[in-house]
Amino acid sequence: WNLPQVVAQMAEERDIPLVTRQSTSGGTNLGQHFQGKKGLKSKELIQSGDFDIVVLQDHSRRAIDAPDSLLYYGHLLGELAKESGAQPYVYLTWARKWDPSMQEPITKQYKALAQKINAKVVPVGLAWEKARKINPYLPLYDEDQSHPSSLGTYLSACVFFAVLTDQSP
């Protein structure tokens, strides 16, 4: 659903200049970004120095399945961002629909990474958790019960907008 573009559009509606770029590939972890796998040029993009902010997000299950990898490569990329003049941000993701208990370890690992690299946290997963508690029938998930629906993307964009601009979406 093009989250970066949704956030940029929200900013544009308020005359806030926000240019977004992304380096993504499905099913990719931060180690693969750092190592340039799958044709990704994430390191080179960060090193270009063209960014004020670099948002780091690992593969959706990495905080649970390989937390040491998340911390290791998140640290390397976060330090690279700071060396290149950018502030690192950590995209704290959400639990799968069928297992809300995943949120606690996801939150713990992303907050640990943020603390390690002095990054700001974009607490999208916590917003999803709160929304699900308020209304468990909100269709935040796509059919796979993992990826966001258009509504889930909108909620995520609202969280990003609030963190990036310090304004209410």
Side-chain angles (χ1 to χ4, degrees):
W1 296 100
N2 291 319
L3 176 62
Q5 289 79 13
V6 174
V7 177
Q9 182 63 42
M10 292 172 89
E12 184 179 317
E13 302 242 344
R14 300 245 184 118
D15 293 322
I16 299 170
L18 181 66
V19 178
T20 62
R21 291 183 57 200
Q22 61 188 25
S23 178
T24 57
S25 180
T28 304
N29 62 58
L30 290 175
Q32 292 169 311
H33 279 277
F34 189 80
Q35 296 163 5
K37 305 269 174 116
K38 297 184 176 185
L40 291 165
K41 304 284 185 207
S42 303
K43 271 178 57 176
E44 292 83 354
L45 283 170
I46 293 170
Q47 289 172 319
S48 73
D50 289 340
F51 303 97
D52 299 317
I53 294 169
V54 172
V55 177
L56 302 175
Q57 178 210 335
D58 212 333
H59 182 269
S60 63
R61 290 199 45 96
R62 206 74 173 161
I64 295 166
D65 295 340
D68 291 342
S69 176
L70 182 149
L71 291 174
Y72 179 75
Y73 286 108
H75 177 255
L76 292 176
L77 288 165
E79 291 302 315
L80 191 63
K82 290 191 286 188
E83 290 167 9
S84 300
Q87 167 68 45
Y89 281 63
V90 174
Y91 182 173
L92 193 162
T93 58
W94 55 87
R96 303 276 169 98
K97 184 175 184 177
W98 64 86
D99 188 2
S101 69
M102 292 172 67
Q103 192 60 57
E104 185 178 342
I106 290 170
T107 300
K108 178 182 175 188
Q109 293 306 317
Y110 276 109
K111 284 186 173 183
L113 173 59
Q115 184 174 8
K116 185 174 187 175
I117 62 173
N118 194 28
K120 294 186 179 186
V121 175
V122 185
V124 172
L126 299 177
W128 278 50
E129 181 179 53
K130 186 172 185 175
R132 289 180 70 189
K133 286 179 181 173
I134 292 169
N135 183 349
Y137 301 105
L138 281 175
L140 297 176
Y141 295 89
D142 203 1
E143 291 177 8
D144 67 4
Q145 298 184 6
S146 174
H147 292 92
S149 65
S150 58
L151 182 63
T153 299
Y154 180 72
L155 175 56
S156 301
C158 287
V159 176
F160 265 97
F161 181 85
V163 170
L164 294 174
T165 67
D166 203 29
Q167 294 183 23
S168 172

